[in-house]
């Protein structure tokens, strides 16, 4: 091996290590943004399905102020209806629970600003307004936004969106937990005009 061949081999080695080094550098530089995007990520491989958004919502919901670990239990009729629906279509069960969440959110939104609360506000606008008026804290707003996004994914599915019975049950539990908080805040009057 002469000097020229040796130099070419060294350069080749350096070039072959460049893309892994660039990848590591990019992850390091954008680590804060990547942690923000992780809840949006959903991975599927054969039977393994990982949705970070639902996991993040559960984690945040456990830290909500004034929410007990065991939210109000559904009536037997509600439980039976949900169980029947989730067996037929977990996606439809998620949409049904999203509708319940939207009703609770709408009541809180209207209570927070009766003069300016208009009927056609989207969930995102209601969440943002309640947060800006300090009617809900950052964690609650985060959970609500996660639930809104999951509900939107159920309403507008792609080929990658496959909801399981467990996903629907987890979604239901989160909606109940947040709805209990809204109901207690509405009844105690802590959601006041901003």
């Amino acid at each position: 091996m002469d000097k020229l061949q040796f130099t070419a081999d060294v350069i080749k080695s350096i070039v072959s290590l460049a893309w892994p080094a660039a990848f590591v550098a990019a992850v390091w530089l954008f680590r804060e943004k990547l942690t923000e995007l992780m809840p949006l990520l959903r991975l599927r491989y054969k039977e393994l399905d990982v949705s970070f958004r639902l996991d993040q919502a559960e984690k945040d919901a456990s830290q909500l102020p004034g929410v007990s670990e065991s939210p109000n239990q559904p009536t037997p009729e509600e439980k039976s209806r949900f169980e029947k629906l989730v067996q037929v279509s977990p996606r439809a069960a998620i949409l049904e629970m999203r509708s319940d969440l939207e009703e609770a959110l709408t009541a809180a939104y209207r209570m927070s600003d009766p003069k300016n609360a208009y009927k056609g506000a989207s969930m995102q606008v209601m969440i943002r307004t309640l947060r800006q008026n300090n009617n809900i804290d950052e964690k609650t707003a985060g959970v609500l936004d996660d639930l809104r996004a999951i509900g939107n994914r159920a309403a507008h599915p792609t080929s990658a969106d496959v909801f399981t019975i467990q996903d629907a049950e987890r979604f239901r539990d989160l909606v109940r937990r947040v709805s209990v908080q809204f109901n207690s805040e509405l009844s105690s009057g802590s959601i006041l005009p901003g």
Side-chain angles (χ1 to χ4, degrees):
M1 178 184 290
D2 62 353
K3 284 184 175 181
L4 191 56
Q5 182 66 30
F6 178 74
T7 305
D9 286 344
V10 168
I11 291 173
K12 233 192 230 181
S13 297
I14 291 172
V15 169
S16 68
L17 293 175
W19 76 264
F23 178 75
V24 170
V27 168
W28 180 256
L29 287 172
F30 298 109
R31 67 186 179 280
E32 291 174 12
K33 289 293 181 189
L34 289 173
T35 56
E36 290 176 21
L37 294 174
M38 281 298 283
L40 303 174
L41 184 63
R42 184 176 182 137
L43 304 172
R44 247 182 45 209
Y45 178 73
K46 294 185 182 179
E47 295 299 316
L48 177 67
D49 187 14
V50 181
S51 175
F52 294 102
R53 189 142 207 165
L54 195 52
D55 294 338
Q56 184 65 39
E58 285 176 330
K59 179 181 166 192
D60 290 346
S62 68
Q63 299 171 1
L64 289 177
V67 178
S68 65
E69 285 300 315
S70 57
N72 290 344
Q73 296 300 316
T75 64
E77 295 80 19
E78 290 173 330
K79 189 173 181 179
S80 173
R81 182 171 180 229
F82 180 82
E83 287 174 355
K84 288 177 186 174
L85 186 58
V86 79
Q87 293 300 321
V88 174
S89 172
R91 187 175 76 78
I94 289 173
L95 290 174
E96 182 71 24
M97 294 310 300
R98 183 186 187 274
S99 175
D100 292 349
L101 175 64
E102 192 167 6
E103 287 177 22
L105 186 59
T106 300
Y109 178 71
R110 288 186 179 151
M111 179 70 80
S112 73
D113 193 1
K115 295 177 194 170
N116 296 325
Y118 58 95
K119 287 187 175 183
S122 68
M123 286 182 74
Q124 186 173 21
V125 167
M126 290 188 280
I127 294 167
R128 190 172 293 151
T129 302
L130 288 169
R131 177 66 187 121
Q132 287 172 347
N133 293 339
N134 293 320
N135 297 119
I136 57 175
D137 63 2
E138 184 179 342
K139 287 284 184 196
T140 304
V143 172
L144 287 169
D145 192 51
D146 288 340
L147 293 173
R148 178 194 60 78
I150 293 166
N152 285 350
R153 247 184 34 221
H156 310 286
T158 65
S159 60
D161 290 329
V162 177
F163 294 99
T164 65
I165 292 172
Q166 291 79 17
D167 290 340
E169 290 170 345
R170 290 169 65 194
F171 188 84
R172 174 199 59 200
D173 294 343
L174 287 168
V175 168
R176 283 194 186 135
R177 186 174 279 177
V178 172
S179 294
V180 166
Q181 181 176 354
F182 277 142
N183 290 337
S184 69
E185 288 176 354
L186 286 171
S187 63
S188 70
S190 62
I191 293 184
L192 299 172

